[in-house]
């Protein structure tokens, strides 16, 4: 099987409710190695919940989830049944998640923010983890910030540190949850540049974003979510030229903000 045929992530018929609010009614997705998939849609359509379930921060009510053919959860009797905690911990190594609000530890230096998750997973010794972290910081233009603390950085710099933290775990796939939504417009570009460079290196990514032109330029596929289901899916050209009036209305409004 070639790399392009290898399925990194498979989600089948995901359902998720919070109390009486049905957030995800039915969602399925397969992501191949090297693919970039962007998920767009209005607020409340379930986009971030998909990423939280895929990254095991939330548990699906029903549906199946697997990485590289290994199941995190199977559907049995109308509900998701998860594998053991030990198996879930092992599956964590397959993915990284970049949050919209950075989620850096304020009392840790930049270097420690990056190395701590690696050391907790037992992947590398401290010296190896620090060398890897410094290499990532240099690549992202932040090597001089290794000893700084998050409050000393701009929002764009903090988000680049959070990307470095995710990359340090050597994931098979990266999830981005609206990575520029907490940034001023002038800082958005530096983060998008990093994500663009990852796409050029064929990093497998699923990106929830409101940056329509960026999604159009970068993605292999775009999924438009509304009311917990996929309302449209296809190549950027197909989605941006769709006859679906709701999708056209959304893209038009967001693109002119």
């Amino acid at each position: 099987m070639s790399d392009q045929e290898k399925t990194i992530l498979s989600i089948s018929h995901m359902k998720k409710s919070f109390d009486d609010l049905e957030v995800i009614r039915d969602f399925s997705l397969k992501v191949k190695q090297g693919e970039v998939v962007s998920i767009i849609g209005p607020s409340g359509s379930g986009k971030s919940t998909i990423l939280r379930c895929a990254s095991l921060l939330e548990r699906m009510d029903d549906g199946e989830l697997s990485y590289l053919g290994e199941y995190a959860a199977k559907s049995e009797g109308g509900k998701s049944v998860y594998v053991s905690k030990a198996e879930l911990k092992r599956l964590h190594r397959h993915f990284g998640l970049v949050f919209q609000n950075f989620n850096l530890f304020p009392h840790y230096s930049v270097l420690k923010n990056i190395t701590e998750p690696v050391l907790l997973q037992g992947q590398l010794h401290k010296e190896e983890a620090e060398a890897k972290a410094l290499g990532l910081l240099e690549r992202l233009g932040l090597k001089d910030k290794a000893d700084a603390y998050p409050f000393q950085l701009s929002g764009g710099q903090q988000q680049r540190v959070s990307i470095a933290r995710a990359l340090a775990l050597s994931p098979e796939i990266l999830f981005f949850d609206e990575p520029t939504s907490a940034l001023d417009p002038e800082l958005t570009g530096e983060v998008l540049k990093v994500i663009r460079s990852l796409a050029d290196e064929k990093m497998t990514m699923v990106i929830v974003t409101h940056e329509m032109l960026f999604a159009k330029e970068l993605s292999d596929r775009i999924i438009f979510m509304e009311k917990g289901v996929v309302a449209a899916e296809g190549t950027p050209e197909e989605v941006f030229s769709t006859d679906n009036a709701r999708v056209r209305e959304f893209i038009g409004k967001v693109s002119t903000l």
Side-chain angles (χ1 to χ4, degrees):
M1 182 182 291
S2 71
D3 283 350
Q4 288 301 320
E5 294 172 339
K6 186 191 295 183
T7 299
I8 303 296
L9 168 69
S10 179
I11 298 170
S12 181
H13 300 295
M14 175 191 287
K15 294 178 175 62
K16 178 66 180 177
S17 297
F18 294 100
D19 297 322
D20 294 329
L21 179 63
E22 192 176 35
V23 180
I24 305 294
R25 288 161 49 198
D26 187 1
F27 178 81
S28 298
L29 172 67
K30 278 184 167 48
V31 183
K32 306 283 188 184
Q33 185 161 12
E35 244 192 323
V36 177
V37 178
S38 290
I39 304 177
I40 64 173
S43 296
S45 58
K47 306 183 303 296
S48 294
T49 301
I50 289 167
L51 294 195
R52 290 183 66 82
C53 288
S55 59
L56 305 175
L57 291 173
E58 298 280 357
R59 292 203 169 201
M60 304 178 294
D61 297 328
D62 192 13
E64 299 191 332
L65 170 66
S66 65
Y67 285 94
L68 294 168
E70 294 185 81
Y71 279 94
K74 288 187 176 183
S75 179
E76 296 180 13
K79 64 177 292 187
S80 295
V81 177
Y82 282 77
V83 297
S84 68
K85 285 185 178 180
E87 290 175 283
L88 289 176
K89 184 177 180 181
R90 185 173 53 78
L91 289 171
H92 264 279
R93 298 189 177 193
H94 291 310
F95 59 81
L97 174 61
V98 178
F99 299 89
Q100 56 183 305
N101 292 315
F102 324 136
N103 280 36
L104 299 175
F105 293 107
H107 56 294
Y108 284 177
S109 69
V110 164
L111 185 65
K112 189 170 183 181
N113 262 289
I114 297 171
T115 59
E116 193 71 6
V118 180
L119 296 174
L120 285 173
Q121 283 201 0
Q123 288 190 19
L124 299 172
H125 296 299
K126 184 178 180 182
E127 294 76 13
E128 296 170 317
E130 289 185 350
K132 185 173 187 178
L134 290 171
L136 286 167
L137 287 172
E138 183 169 23
R139 173 182 166 189
L140 300 182
L142 293 170
K143 192 172 183 180
D144 61 330
K145 303 296 185 182
D147 296 324
Y149 286 82
F151 78 90
Q152 297 172 307
L153 306 180
S154 70
Q157 289 171 332
Q158 289 186 61
Q159 191 61 294
R160 281 185 281 160
V161 171
S162 69
I163 293 172
R165 176 180 60 187
L167 288 171
L169 295 167
S170 300
E172 299 277 352
I173 184 170
L174 271 183
F175 298 116
F176 290 87
D177 187 5
E178 299 191 14
T180 60
S181 66
L183 302 177
D184 294 333
E186 62 184 16
L187 298 177
T188 293
E190 65 188 55
V191 173
L192 296 183
K193 182 179 178 182
V194 171
I195 299 173
R196 191 177 285 112
S197 73
L198 294 173
D200 290 341
E201 295 166 15
K202 301 301 180 186
M203 182 75 204
T204 311
M205 295 184 282
V206 177
I207 306 169
V208 167
T209 183
H210 280 112
E211 300 284 345
M212 292 297 103
L213 296 180
F214 181 71
K216 183 179 181 181
E217 171 200 336
L218 197 72
S219 307
D220 297 298
R221 274 189 293 149
I222 295 178
I223 294 171
F224 180 86
M225 292 290 297
E226 184 159 51
K227 297 179 181 177
V229 297
V230 176
E233 179 177 2
T235 65
E237 293 74 19
E238 289 168 342
V239 172
F240 274 74
S241 63
T242 182
D243 292 331
N244 184 312
R246 177 66 184 105
V247 178
R248 293 180 70 87
E249 176 193 30
F250 176 80
I251 290 173
K253 282 183 177 178
V254 175
S255 298
T256 56
L257 290 178

